[in-house]
Amino acid sequence: MRLFIAIQFDDSILDELTNFQEDLKRQGVTGNYSARENLHITLAFIGNYPNPGEVLDVIEQVDFRPIEITLQGVGSFGNLFWVGLAENKQLESFVRRLRRELASHGIPFDKKRFSPHITLIRKYNYKGGDIIPVSNPPKGSMRATHISLMKSERGKNGMIYTEIGEV
């Protein structure tokens, strides 16, 4: 079972992100757009792991307090287009503690540096070149009140992310 730990969004942020995706489509940006229900921030990607209950137990051991999250900026990693977050020391601190706890319990995870972003489009293409002109990036804030353990499965029309549990 492919697992990851994430923050999911409230409807106001999801509306902002999906409206922005529609603007990009109108500008002629093509690619594999993330479905509304799949938009999230990955805190730790675990990958194939057979015991989600064990992961939930570890997440529960890390003190989590609600975190204010603010959308800020856009960018790309190769052909992946994303929306970023404003700098957030509280979120960064939580992710460090979470990953330390996962490691101490022998739960593997991707060790890449935490770079908080929301993937909007994979394999994007823009007829105007490599850089997508963005005049009105998405805006919005929300209070993250819980962390979700998610399962990732390949579906007929792309990836399907399902919440297994929350803390």
Side-chain angles (χ1 to χ4, degrees):
M1 184 177 314
R2 286 173 46 99
L3 302 174
F4 63 94
I5 301 168
I7 292 176
Q8 298 189 83
F9 298 113
D10 65 21
D11 282 336
S12 67
I13 294 291
L14 289 173
D15 289 346
E16 188 71 21
L17 293 170
T18 54
N19 288 338
F20 183 62
Q21 285 179 315
E22 291 303 317
D23 288 344
L24 294 172
K25 288 176 185 175
R26 282 191 288 277
Q27 290 182 53
V29 180
T30 60
N32 299 330
Y33 280 78
S34 296
R36 176 185 176 97
E37 60 273 12
N38 287 354
L39 296 169
H40 67 276
I41 302 166
T42 300
L43 306 179
F45 179 77
I46 295 167
N48 290 322
Y49 195 75
N51 191 343
E54 187 178 316
V55 177
L56 277 170
D57 289 345
V58 170
I59 296 170
E60 287 176 354
Q61 294 176 31
V62 183
D63 183 37
F64 176 77
R65 298 171 195 269
I67 300 172
E68 191 71 25
I69 293 173
T70 302
L71 302 178
Q72 182 178 13
V74 297
S76 63
F77 304 131
N79 63 0
L80 184 144
F81 189 75
W82 49 263
V83 170
L85 298 181
E87 184 177 352
N88 189 317
K89 298 294 185 192
Q90 184 184 1
L91 178 61
E92 292 169 14
S93 174
F94 175 76
V95 170
R96 275 192 307 278
R97 289 182 285 116
L98 172 66
R99 291 177 174 199
R100 205 170 25 246
E101 198 68 28
L102 290 168
S104 75
H105 284 81
I107 297 174
F109 61 92
D110 187 339
K111 304 271 195 298
K112 285 184 201 149
R113 183 178 72 83
F114 178 58
S115 180
H117 67 280
I118 304 131
T119 300
L120 292 184
I121 314 169
R122 292 185 191 321
K123 298 181 182 176
Y124 81 85
N125 188 17
Y126 176 58
K127 63 185 175 195
D130 289 338
I131 299 173
I132 300 171
V134 175
S135 58
N136 194 17
K139 295 178 176 71
S141 294
M142 67 166 261
R143 190 166 185 79
T145 58
H146 66 277
I147 303 301
S148 299
L149 178 61
M150 305 293 291
K151 170 176 74 170
S152 171
E153 300 172 291
R154 187 165 303 282
K156 187 169 60 172
N157 297 317
M159 298 308 288
I160 300 169
Y161 301 152
T162 306
E163 184 179 67
I164 295 174
E166 68 177 52
V167 175

Coordinates of all heavy atoms in Angstrom, one line a residue, residues 3-8 40-46 52-65 67 89-112 114 146-150 165-167:
L3 N 1.6 4.9 0.8 CA 1.1 5.8 1.8 C 1.9 7.2 1.8 O 3.1 7.2 1.4 CB 1.3 5.2 3.2 CG 0.7 3.9 3.5 CD1 1.1 3.4 4.8 CD2 -0.9 4.0 3.3
F4 N 1.2 8.2 2.2 CA 1.8 9.5 2.4 C 1.0 10.2 3.5 O -0.1 10.0 3.7 CB 2.0 10.3 1.2 CG 0.7 10.7 0.5 CD1 0.1 12.0 0.7 CD2 0.1 9.9 -0.4 CE1 -1.0 12.4 0.1 CE2 -1.1 10.3 -1.1 CZ -1.6 11.5 -0.8
I5 N 1.7 11.2 4.2 CA 1.1 12.0 5.2 C 0.9 13.4 4.7 O 1.8 14.0 4.1 CB 2.0 12.0 6.5 CG1 2.2 10.6 7.0 CG2 1.4 12.9 7.6 CD1 3.3 10.5 8.0
A6 N -0.3 13.9 4.8 CA -0.6 15.2 4.2 C -1.5 16.1 5.0 O -2.1 15.7 6.0 CB -1.3 14.9 2.8
I7 N -1.6 17.3 4.5 CA -2.6 18.3 5.0 C -3.6 18.4 3.8 O -3.1 18.7 2.7 CB -2.0 19.6 5.4 CG1 -1.2 19.5 6.6 CG2 -3.1 20.7 5.6 CD1 -0.5 20.7 7.1
Q8 N -4.8 18.2 4.1 CA -5.9 18.4 3.1 C -6.5 19.8 3.3 O -6.4 20.4 4.3 CB -6.9 17.4 3.2 CG -6.3 16.0 2.9 CD -7.4 14.9 2.8 OE1 -8.0 14.8 1.7 NE2 -7.7 14.3 3.9
H40 N -3.4 18.6 -2.1 CA -2.9 18.5 -0.7 C -1.5 19.0 -0.6 O -0.9 19.3 -1.6 CB -3.0 17.0 -0.3 CG -2.0 16.2 -1.1 ND1 -2.3 15.7 -2.3 CD2 -0.7 15.8 -0.7 CE1 -1.2 15.0 -2.7 NE2 -0.3 15.1 -1.8
I41 N -1.0 19.0 0.6 CA 0.5 19.3 0.8 C 1.0 18.0 1.4 O 0.5 17.5 2.5 CB 0.7 20.4 1.8 CG1 0.1 21.7 1.4 CG2 2.2 20.6 2.1 CD1 0.0 22.7 2.5
T42 N 2.0 17.4 0.8 CA 2.6 16.2 1.3 C 3.7 16.6 2.4 O 4.6 17.4 2.1 CB 3.4 15.4 0.2 OG1 2.4 15.0 -0.8 CG2 4.0 14.2 0.8
L43 N 3.5 16.0 3.6 CA 4.4 16.3 4.7 C 5.5 15.2 4.7 O 6.7 15.5 5.0 CB 3.7 16.3 6.0 CG 2.5 17.3 6.1 CD1 1.9 17.2 7.5 CD2 3.0 18.7 5.8
A44 N 5.2 14.0 4.4 CA 6.1 12.9 4.3 C 5.6 11.8 3.3 O 4.4 11.4 3.5 CB 6.4 12.3 5.7
F45 N 6.4 11.4 2.3 CA 5.9 10.4 1.4 C 6.6 9.1 1.9 O 7.8 9.0 2.0 CB 6.4 10.7 0.0 CG 6.0 9.6 -1.0 CD1 4.7 9.5 -1.4 CD2 6.9 8.6 -1.4 CE1 4.3 8.4 -2.3 CE2 6.6 7.6 -2.2 CZ 5.3 7.5 -2.7
I46 N 5.8 8.1 2.3 CA 6.2 6.9 2.8 C 6.4 5.8 1.7 O 7.4 5.0 1.7 CB 5.3 6.4 3.9 CG1 5.3 7.4 5.1 CG2 5.6 5.0 4.4 CD1 4.2 7.2 6.0
P52 N -0.6 0.6 7.8 CA -1.0 2.0 8.0 C -1.3 2.3 9.5 O -1.1 3.4 9.9 CB -2.2 2.1 7.1 CG -2.7 0.8 6.8 CD -1.5 -0.1 6.9
G53 N -1.8 1.3 10.3 CA -2.1 1.5 11.7 C -0.9 1.9 12.5 O -0.9 2.8 13.3
E54 N 0.3 1.3 12.1 CA 1.5 1.6 12.8 C 1.9 3.1 12.5 O 2.4 3.8 13.3 CB 2.6 0.7 12.3 CG 3.9 0.8 12.9 CD 4.9 -0.3 12.4 OE1 4.5 -1.4 12.2 OE2 6.1 0.1 12.1
V55 N 1.7 3.5 11.2 CA 2.0 4.9 10.8 C 1.1 5.9 11.6 O 1.6 6.9 12.1 CB 1.9 5.1 9.3 CG1 2.2 6.6 8.9 CG2 2.8 4.2 8.5
L56 N -0.2 5.6 11.7 CA -1.1 6.4 12.4 C -0.7 6.5 13.9 O -0.7 7.6 14.5 CB -2.5 5.9 12.4 CG -3.3 6.3 11.1 CD1 -4.6 5.5 11.0 CD2 -3.5 7.8 11.1
D57 N -0.2 5.4 14.5 CA 0.3 5.4 15.9 C 1.4 6.4 16.0 O 1.5 7.1 17.0 CB 0.7 4.0 16.3 CG -0.5 3.1 16.5 OD1 -1.7 3.6 16.6 OD2 -0.3 1.9 16.6
V58 N 2.3 6.4 15.1 CA 3.5 7.3 15.1 C 3.1 8.7 15.0 O 3.5 9.6 15.7 CB 4.6 6.9 14.1 CG1 5.6 8.0 14.0 CG2 5.2 5.5 14.4
I59 N 2.2 9.0 14.0 CA 1.7 10.4 13.9 C 1.1 10.9 15.2 O 1.3 12.1 15.5 CB 0.7 10.5 12.7 CG1 1.3 10.1 11.4 CG2 0.1 11.9 12.6 CD1 0.3 9.9 10.2
E60 N 0.3 10.1 15.8 CA -0.3 10.5 17.1 C 0.7 10.8 18.2 O 0.4 11.6 19.1 CB -1.2 9.3 17.6 CG -2.5 9.2 16.8 CD -3.3 8.0 17.3 OE1 -2.9 7.2 18.1 OE2 -4.5 7.9 16.7
Q61 N 1.9 10.4 18.1 CA 2.9 10.7 19.1 C 3.6 12.0 18.9 O 4.3 12.5 19.8 CB 4.0 9.6 19.0 CG 3.5 8.2 19.5 CD 4.6 7.1 19.4 OE1 5.8 7.4 19.5 NE2 4.1 5.9 19.1
V62 N 3.3 12.7 17.7 CA 3.9 14.0 17.4 C 2.9 15.0 17.8 O 1.8 15.0 17.2 CB 4.3 14.1 16.0 CG1 5.0 15.4 15.7 CG2 5.2 12.9 15.6
D63 N 3.2 15.9 18.7 CA 2.3 17.0 19.1 C 2.0 17.9 17.9 O 2.8 18.5 17.3 CB 3.0 17.8 20.2 CG 2.0 18.9 20.7 OD1 0.8 18.6 20.8 OD2 2.5 20.0 21.0
F64 N 0.7 17.9 17.5 CA 0.2 18.7 16.4 C -0.7 19.8 17.0 O -1.7 19.4 17.7 CB -0.5 17.9 15.4 CG -1.0 18.8 14.3 CD1 -0.2 19.3 13.3 CD2 -2.4 19.1 14.2 CE1 -0.7 20.1 12.3 CE2 -2.9 19.9 13.2 CZ -2.1 20.4 12.3
R65 N -0.4 21.0 16.7 CA -1.4 22.1 17.0 C -1.8 22.8 15.7 O -1.0 22.8 14.7 CB -0.7 23.1 17.9 CG -0.2 22.6 19.2 CD 0.7 23.5 20.0 NE 1.4 22.8 21.0 CZ 0.9 22.7 22.3 NH1 -0.3 23.2 22.6 NH2 1.6 22.1 23.2
I67 N -2.3 24.9 12.5 CA -1.4 25.7 11.8 C -2.1 26.5 10.7 O -2.9 26.0 9.9 CB -0.3 24.8 11.1 CG1 0.5 23.9 12.1 CG2 0.7 25.6 10.3 CD1 1.4 22.9 11.5
K89 N 7.3 28.7 9.9 CA 8.2 28.0 10.8 C 7.5 26.9 11.6 O 8.0 25.9 11.9 CB 8.8 29.0 11.7 CG 9.7 30.0 11.0 CD 10.9 29.4 10.4 CE 11.8 30.5 9.8 NZ 12.8 29.9 9.0
Q90 N 6.2 27.1 11.9 CA 5.5 26.1 12.7 C 5.3 24.9 11.9 O 5.4 23.7 12.4 CB 4.1 26.7 13.1 CG 3.3 25.8 14.0 CD 1.9 26.3 14.4 OE1 1.5 27.4 13.9 NE2 1.2 25.5 15.1
L91 N 4.9 25.0 10.6 CA 4.8 23.8 9.7 C 6.1 23.1 9.5 O 6.2 21.9 9.7 CB 4.2 24.3 8.4 CG 4.0 23.1 7.3 CD1 3.1 22.1 7.8 CD2 3.5 23.7 6.0
E92 N 7.2 23.9 9.3 CA 8.5 23.3 9.1 C 8.9 22.5 10.4 O 9.5 21.4 10.3 CB 9.5 24.3 8.7 CG 9.3 24.9 7.4 CD 10.1 26.2 7.1 OE1 11.1 26.4 7.9 OE2 9.8 26.9 6.1
S93 N 8.7 23.1 11.5 CA 9.0 22.4 12.8 C 8.2 21.1 13.0 O 8.8 20.1 13.4 CB 8.8 23.4 14.0 OG 9.0 22.7 15.2
F94 N 6.9 21.2 12.7 CA 6.1 20.0 12.8 C 6.7 18.9 11.8 O 6.8 17.7 12.2 CB 4.7 20.2 12.5 CG 3.8 19.0 12.5 CD1 3.5 18.4 13.7 CD2 3.5 18.3 11.3 CE1 2.8 17.2 13.7 CE2 2.8 17.1 11.3 CZ 2.4 16.6 12.5
V95 N 7.0 19.2 10.6 CA 7.5 18.2 9.6 C 8.8 17.6 10.1 O 9.0 16.4 10.0 CB 7.6 18.8 8.2 CG1 8.3 17.9 7.3 CG2 6.2 19.2 7.7
R96 N 9.7 18.4 10.7 CA 10.9 17.9 11.2 C 10.7 16.9 12.3 O 11.2 15.8 12.3 CB 11.8 19.0 11.7 CG 12.7 19.6 10.7 CD 13.8 20.5 11.3 NE 13.3 21.5 12.3 CZ 12.8 22.7 11.9 NH1 12.7 23.1 10.7 NH2 12.4 23.5 12.9
R97 N 9.8 17.2 13.2 CA 9.4 16.3 14.4 C 8.8 15.0 13.9 O 9.1 13.9 14.3 CB 8.6 17.0 15.4 CG 9.4 18.1 16.2 CD 8.6 18.8 17.2 NE 7.6 19.8 16.6 CZ 6.3 19.7 16.7 NH1 5.7 18.8 17.4 NH2 5.6 20.6 16.1
L98 N 7.9 15.2 12.9 CA 7.2 14.1 12.3 C 8.1 13.1 11.7 O 8.1 11.9 11.9 CB 6.1 14.5 11.3 CG 5.4 13.5 10.5 CD1 4.6 12.6 11.3 CD2 4.6 14.1 9.3
R99 N 9.0 13.6 10.8 CA 10.0 12.8 10.1 C 11.0 12.1 11.1 O 11.3 10.9 10.9 CB 10.7 13.6 9.1 CG 9.8 14.0 7.9 CD 10.5 14.8 6.9 NE 9.7 15.1 5.7 CZ 10.1 15.5 4.6 NH1 11.4 15.7 4.4 NH2 9.3 15.6 3.6
R100 N 11.4 12.8 12.1 CA 12.2 12.2 13.2 C 11.6 11.1 13.9 O 12.2 10.0 14.1 CB 12.6 13.3 14.2 CG 13.9 13.1 14.9 CD 14.5 14.3 15.7 NE 13.5 15.3 16.2 CZ 13.5 16.5 15.8 NH1 14.3 17.0 14.9 NH2 12.6 17.4 16.3
E101 N 10.3 11.2 14.1 CA 9.5 10.2 14.8 C 9.3 9.0 13.9 O 9.5 7.8 14.3 CB 8.2 10.7 15.3 CG 7.5 9.9 16.3 CD 8.2 9.8 17.7 OE1 8.9 10.8 18.0 OE2 8.0 8.8 18.4
L102 N 9.0 9.2 12.6 CA 8.9 8.1 11.6 C 10.3 7.3 11.6 O 10.3 6.1 11.7 CB 8.6 8.6 10.2 CG 7.2 9.2 10.0 CD1 7.1 9.9 8.7 CD2 6.1 8.1 10.1
A103 N 11.4 8.0 11.5 CA 12.7 7.4 11.4 C 13.0 6.6 12.7 O 13.5 5.5 12.6 CB 13.8 8.4 11.2
S104 N 12.6 7.1 13.9 CA 12.9 6.4 15.1 C 12.1 5.1 15.3 O 12.5 4.2 16.0 CB 12.7 7.3 16.3 OG 11.3 7.5 16.6
H105 N 11.0 5.0 14.5 CA 10.2 3.8 14.5 C 10.5 2.9 13.3 O 9.7 1.9 13.1 CB 8.7 4.2 14.6 CG 8.3 4.6 16.0 ND1 8.5 5.9 16.4 CD2 7.7 3.9 17.0 CE1 8.0 6.0 17.6 NE2 7.6 4.8 18.0
G106 N 11.5 3.3 12.5 CA 11.8 2.4 11.4 C 10.9 2.5 10.2 O 10.8 1.6 9.4
I107 N 10.1 3.5 10.2 CA 9.1 3.7 9.0 C 9.8 4.5 7.9 O 10.2 5.6 8.2 CB 7.8 4.4 9.5 CG1 7.1 3.5 10.5 CG2 6.9 4.7 8.3 CD1 5.9 4.1 11.1
P108 N 10.0 3.9 6.8 CA 10.8 4.6 5.7 C 10.0 5.7 5.1 O 8.7 5.7 5.1 CB 11.0 3.5 4.7 CG 9.9 2.5 4.9 CD 9.5 2.6 6.4
F109 N 10.7 6.7 4.7 CA 10.0 7.9 4.0 C 11.0 8.5 3.1 O 12.2 8.4 3.2 CB 9.4 8.9 5.0 CG 10.4 9.5 5.9 CD1 11.0 10.7 5.5 CD2 10.8 8.9 7.1 CE1 12.0 11.3 6.4 CE2 11.7 9.5 7.9 CZ 12.3 10.7 7.6
D110 N 10.5 9.3 2.1 CA 11.4 10.0 1.2 C 12.1 11.1 1.9 O 11.5 11.9 2.5 CB 10.6 10.6 0.0 CG 11.4 11.2 -1.1 OD1 12.6 11.5 -0.8 OD2 10.8 11.3 -2.2
K111 N 13.4 11.1 1.9 CA 14.2 12.0 2.7 C 14.5 13.4 2.0 O 15.3 14.2 2.5 CB 15.6 11.4 3.0 CG 15.5 10.0 3.7 CD 15.4 10.2 5.2 CE 15.7 8.9 6.0 NZ 14.8 7.9 5.8
K112 N 13.8 13.6 0.8 CA 14.0 14.9 0.2 C 13.6 16.0 1.1 O 12.7 15.9 1.9 CB 13.1 15.0 -1.1 CG 13.6 14.2 -2.2 CD 12.7 14.5 -3.4 CE 12.8 13.4 -4.4 NZ 11.6 13.1 -5.2
F114 N 12.0 19.1 2.7 CA 10.6 19.5 2.7 C 10.4 20.8 1.9 O 11.1 21.8 2.3 CB 10.0 19.6 4.1 CG 8.6 20.1 4.2 CD1 7.6 19.4 3.6 CD2 8.3 21.3 4.9 CE1 6.3 19.9 3.7 CE2 7.0 21.7 5.0 CZ 6.0 21.0 4.4
H146 N -5.9 19.2 11.3 CA -5.5 17.8 11.4 C -4.6 17.4 10.3 O -4.4 18.1 9.3 CB -6.8 16.9 11.4 CG -7.5 16.9 10.1 ND1 -8.4 17.9 9.8 CD2 -7.5 16.0 9.1 CE1 -8.9 17.6 8.6 NE2 -8.4 16.5 8.2
I147 N -4.0 16.2 10.5 CA -3.0 15.6 9.6 C -3.7 14.3 9.1 O -4.3 13.6 9.9 CB -1.7 15.3 10.2 CG1 -1.1 16.5 10.9 CG2 -0.7 14.6 9.3 CD1 -0.8 17.6 9.9
S148 N -3.6 14.0 7.8 CA -4.2 12.9 7.2 C -3.1 11.8 6.8 O -2.1 12.2 6.2 CB -5.0 13.2 6.0 OG -6.1 14.1 6.4
L149 N -3.4 10.6 7.0 CA -2.6 9.5 6.4 C -3.4 9.1 5.2 O -4.6 8.7 5.3 CB -2.5 8.3 7.4 CG -1.7 7.1 6.8 CD1 -0.3 7.5 6.3 CD2 -1.7 6.0 7.7
M150 N -2.8 9.1 4.0 CA -3.4 8.9 2.8 C -2.9 7.7 2.1 O -1.7 7.3 2.2 CB -3.2 10.1 1.8 CG -3.6 11.5 2.4 SD -5.4 11.7 2.7 CE -6.0 11.7 1.0
G165 N -6.9 7.7 7.7 CA -7.1 8.1 9.1 C -6.6 9.5 9.2 O -5.9 10.1 8.4
E166 N -7.0 10.2 10.4 CA -6.5 11.5 10.6 C -6.1 11.7 12.1 O -6.6 10.9 12.9 CB -7.5 12.6 10.2 CG -8.8 12.6 11.1 CD -9.7 13.7 10.7 OE1 -10.1 13.8 9.5 OE2 -10.2 14.4 11.6
V167 N -5.3 12.6 12.4 CA -4.8 12.9 13.7 C -4.9 14.4 13.9 O -4.6 15.2 13.1 CB -3.4 12.4 13.9 CG1 -2.9 12.8 15.3 CG2 -3.3 10.9 13.7

